Amino acid sequence: MTTATPAQPQAASSEPELTLDILLQPRPQLFVNFRGKELRKGFLSHVVKALKEVGINVFIDSLEQRGVNFERLLERIDNSKIALAIFSNKYTQSDWCLKELVRMDERMKEGRLVVIPIFYKVTTEDVKKFKGKFGKKFEDMVMRRFGTFDAPTAQSWMMAVTSIASNTGLTSEVSSIDSTLVEEIVKATSRQLGHVSSANLSIIHQAAVEFYVASFVAIFCIVFIPSVFTQVKIFSTPQWLVAHMFSFIVRKAFYWFMS
């Protein structure tokens, strides 16, 4: 396949507008860029499970609400700390994946995102040089869409693939067993994220929930109960508030210890 020299893609004209529901949702630590239902239901499902088990907040587009436009996915990329680009033989069938990859490459070059390429049952050589099934499917898609590799969008896709595929990544050529590759992905992402153990993340999250619940119950008792039961004075004392919140913490600490 003959390809033209990739042209420099134009930078995004403006930052995506932050919406209230985006602000209220947990910040995704890791965005996964991939192609194929088979990959999602097979290898990727094991990757996501393993990452979540060590406390990493993972986002894949199948978790997005149906009907939400593509700009929402770009916001997910912008709000992530790290991204996995899982290259497979079917990857270049999807212009959706390539558009995501262009945004990932832009954010990576701005120093806002770390991107780790994963070469799943495809060689690094085929991806970097658009050879084999990977290259053929890309050629078919580009010619069908644009009729030429000189189209600016096609050039930006090629540049993004070449750029990200040149990063240090992981490949099934080395880790031929899927479980081994999954373990390597978890290790690599954990190192990049300055990993906090799943136990610590769970404790921090649950402690925050306990604190808010305890505060609500305590304030409710202080304000409501004395107004109804005027003879009950204990609920209006600061000592009861402290004791009540302390009991919540002790109960939860005991649960963590026993589990």
Side-chain angles (χ1 to χ4, degrees):
M1 178 181 73
T2 302
T3 60
T5 302
Q8 183 71 23
Q10 294 182 350
S13 59
S14 60
E15 295 296 324
E17 181 181 356
L18 289 176
T19 55
L20 180 59
D21 56 334
I22 285 289
L23 291 173
L24 293 177
Q25 291 173 354
R27 173 182 171 88
Q29 291 178 295
L30 185 143
F31 182 92
V32 183
N33 168 257
F34 71 100
R35 163 68 176 174
K37 291 182 180 179
E38 298 86 358
L39 196 61
R40 177 190 290 120
K41 293 179 180 180
F43 172 70
L44 182 57
S45 66
H46 298 297
V47 173
V48 171
K49 180 181 178 182
L51 290 169
K52 288 185 175 181
E53 284 177 351
V54 297
I56 296 175
N57 183 17
V58 185
F59 177 83
I60 59 175
D61 61 14
S62 63
L63 301 179
E64 189 60 274
Q65 296 177 0
R66 294 189 179 276
V68 175
N69 62 34
F70 185 72
E71 287 300 316
R72 175 63 61 83
L73 286 177
L74 297 184
E75 290 179 6
R76 297 290 190 183
I77 294 170
D78 293 342
N79 291 330
S80 297
K81 297 179 180 178
I82 188 170
L84 300 180
I86 303 182
F87 295 116
S88 62
N89 282 324
K90 293 184 178 181
Y91 183 90
T92 48
Q93 286 181 327
S94 171
D95 60 346
W96 188 287
C97 285
L98 292 164
K99 290 175 183 177
E100 289 179 351
L101 196 71
V102 169
R103 176 60 70 93
M104 290 159 56
D105 187 47
E106 290 171 354
R107 295 298 176 252
M108 180 184 73
K109 290 175 178 175
E110 294 168 357
R112 295 171 53 183
L113 183 70
V114 173
V115 183
I116 300 175
I118 310 296
F119 302 90
Y120 185 69
K121 297 184 178 179
V122 63
T123 68
T124 56
E125 184 80 0
D126 283 356
V127 174
K128 292 177 181 178
K129 296 186 177 181
F130 295 90
K131 295 168 60 178
K133 292 181 180 179
F134 184 90
K136 182 62 169 64
K137 291 183 186 302
F138 181 75
E139 181 179 9
D140 291 344
M141 196 260 291
V142 168
M143 296 307 292
R144 185 174 63 251
R145 289 285 304 275
F146 309 112
T148 175
F149 288 101
D150 292 328
T153 299
Q155 289 288 304
S156 68
W157 290 347
M158 293 168 64
M159 184 172 184
V161 170
T162 303
S163 173
I164 289 176
S166 298
N167 289 351
T168 301
L170 302 169
T171 174
S172 57
E173 290 179 295
V174 176
S175 303
S176 57
I177 301 174
D178 280 4
S179 60
T180 304
L181 183 56
V182 169
E183 291 176 5
E184 292 302 315
I185 291 172
V186 172
K187 290 178 183 178
T189 54
S190 297
R191 285 194 298 267
Q192 292 291 345
L193 287 168
H195 176 252
V196 179
S197 71
S198 59
N200 288 340
L201 285 173
S202 177
I203 289 173
I204 291 170
H205 174 73
Q206 293 185 48
V209 172
E210 288 293 321
F211 176 80
Y212 286 122
V213 171
S215 300
F216 175 81
V217 173
I219 293 171
F220 177 82
C221 291
I222 288 174
V223 174
F224 178 76
I225 292 181
S227 65
V228 177
F229 305 99
T230 56
Q231 301 302 316
V232 180
K233 303 296 184 182
I234 186 173
F235 292 110
S236 60
T237 63
Q239 291 84 352
W240 183 87
L241 172 63
V242 173
H244 172 74
M245 297 186 69
F246 182 74
S247 68
F248 266 70
I249 296 171
V250 169
R251 179 180 64 83
K252 201 62 180 181
F254 178 78
Y255 170 79
W256 290 328
F257 177 79
M258 294 300 295
S259 61

